[in-house]
Amino acid sequence: MSGPPKILVVGSGGREHALVRALHDSAEHPAVFAAPGNPGMESEATCVPIRATDLAALTGWAAREKPDLVIIGPDSALAIGLADALAKVSVPALGPVRAAARLESSKSFAKQVLQELALPTAPYRVAHSAAEAKRILAGATYPVVLKADGLAAGKGVVVAERESEAFDAIGAWMERGELGESGRVLVIEDFLRGEEASLLVLTDGERWMLFPPARDHKRAYDGDTGPNTGGMGACAPARVPSAQDAIAIARRIVDPLLAELRARGILYRGILYFGLMLTPSGPMVLEINARFGDPEAQVVLPLLDEDALPLFLAAARGSLPPDRHGTFVRYAGAAVCVVLAAPGYPKEPHTGQAIEGLNHARPHGIRFYCAGVDRRAGGFVTSGGRVLGVTARAETLERAREAAYEAVSWIRFDGMQYRRDIAAVLQPGRPIS
Ligand code: AMP
Ligand code: GLY
């Protein structure tokens, strides 16, 4: 390679800011671009005004600029085949081709593959019409989990406590089409109890490495109450599973899954994300995503104790070091990210509020990852539901938690909402694995 590498990050959220920052900190001093990025990233990347789902414009840019790597952040870009389009112009991508991204963009496809491989996941049925869904639910024991088959930006899962709630979701998605095509097919699955964890794997299609296990907090309010969101905060390493258990779980799931994809002619190059429920009878796969989690990326990446860029390049080129197969990407300490959300999030976020405190002096280990942030009249304003991810890295989870909440107190905008219990100790009596 001549000169420093040139890397494009596709997307505009907190996850992409964390990627940009990790690249900016790389010893290889890459030229970092973000499409479209956001104004909060401008000191670390050159923002290119192309939307993450503008396939033609992104491919055109890549064909002209010949980046060494394109890292695809959002599921929407993967689902429309950005990795396939980049391959056609010979630009390496960290992100799987469309046929493999179906593991995320079709929950019924993911369930089918998991079942065929006898990997642990909740028992389920698939319904193609409202009448079929209601038939399946006749005599069901509640709670029951209903999942829209397609991508729904965190809005496609309902844990129904009773039949009326299940029928409401069926009416909204399957009869009234409120999620468009994504809600026309329904996955109905058993409710699982336990502790959640996110396992993120970097793979070149054959070999893989594991990032520190992370914990997202998906519900909007303290105590895991309120509606599901994209994620209100995260910590890594998660309290459970242990590092040893995480590797054992990944070995059990990832090798057979990659082998199955290869048998279907797919080399999966990118991030494989497993949402797990650690139940009393063992870990079960809740979902598979084809990308970094958001906000998991905002805790996993700052925790790394080795340069991520050479590993990303190797995964995209199919050359992860054989001696690192099935091991951790090196990490040290613990990180906690608290998401600051706009008032009204997740239903109807109100935007346009001035954000104060972004320039507050930050001690080592504190990072502000910008998501729904825009620039107006020299200052920053809110422009989306999740506005900022405030991350602290420290020796222990407890110290990282304290530092993250102290840093949260430096930021202010009207109606700012956030959870006070990110990374808090588990409630006594809650079942864990
Ligand atoms: P998913 O997008 O499939 O991860 O679902 C979003 C959230 O819904 C998960 O993070 C869980 O909190 C919850 N969830 C999904 N499936 C189940 C299940 N089978 N049992 C209990 N909770 C679930
Ligand atoms: N944090 C969950 C996700 O990215 O899907």
Side-chain angles (χ1 to χ4, degrees), residues 107 137 142-148 152 154-170 172-173 179 186-191 219 227-228:
K107 291 191 189 278
L137 285 171
Y142 285 82
V144 160
V145 184
L146 305 181
K147 299 184 176 184
K155 294 183 195 142
V157 176
V158 163
V159 178
E161 301 286 347
R162 55 191 71 83
E163 191 180 73
S164 59
E165 285 175 23
F167 282 22
D168 283 351
I170 291 168
W173 300 346
L179 295 178
L186 193 66
V187 172
I188 300 173
E189 71 178 35
D190 288 4
F191 178 78
R219 298 294 193 104
N228 258 323

Side-chain angles (χ1 to χ4, degrees), residues 70 113 160 227 258 285 323 345 392 411:
V70 176
V113 173
L258 291 177
V285 180
D323 62 335
Y345 179 75
I411 305 279

Side-chain angles (χ1 to χ4, degrees), residues 9 48 78 97 211 430:
V9 175
V48 181
L78 293 163
V97 293
F211 289 103
R430 275 189 73 179

Side-chain angles (χ1 to χ4, degrees), residues 15 75 104 154 198 215-218 229-234 273 287 289 291-297 386:
R15 163 183 53 209
D75 46 14
E104 172 162 12
S198 308
R215 170 76 154 99
D216 186 12
H217 296 69
K218 285 219 174 81
T229 70
M232 294 297 288
Y273 165 129
E287 66 165 338
N289 292 330
R291 49 167 177 86
F292 274 109
D294 187 339
E296 286 92 332
R386 291 190 289 179

Side-chain angles (χ1 to χ4, degrees), residues 281-374:
S281 52
M284 311 273 261
V285 180
L286 285 184
E287 66 165 338
I288 301 178
N289 292 330
R291 49 167 177 86
F292 274 109
D294 187 339
E296 286 92 332
Q298 292 91 307
V299 285
V300 159
L301 294 169
L303 211 51
L304 299 187
D305 215 16
E306 66 180 309
D307 196 342
L309 178 54
L311 297 175
F312 289 166
L313 286 166
R317 292 174 181 150
S319 58
L320 273 182
D323 62 335
R324 302 294 303 276
H325 172 62
T327 67
F328 275 111
V329 182
R330 279 192 285 278
Y331 66 94
V336 171
C337 173
V338 179
V339 169
L340 307 184
Y345 179 75
K347 270 211 160 127
E348 278 171 43
H350 305 295
T351 58
Q353 271 101 6
I355 308 171
E356 288 166 38
L358 272 180
N359 294 325
H360 193 285
R362 260 163 280 169
H364 186 71
I366 302 290
R367 284 171 192 178
F368 295 154
Y369 294 122
C370 294
V373 170
D374 208 349

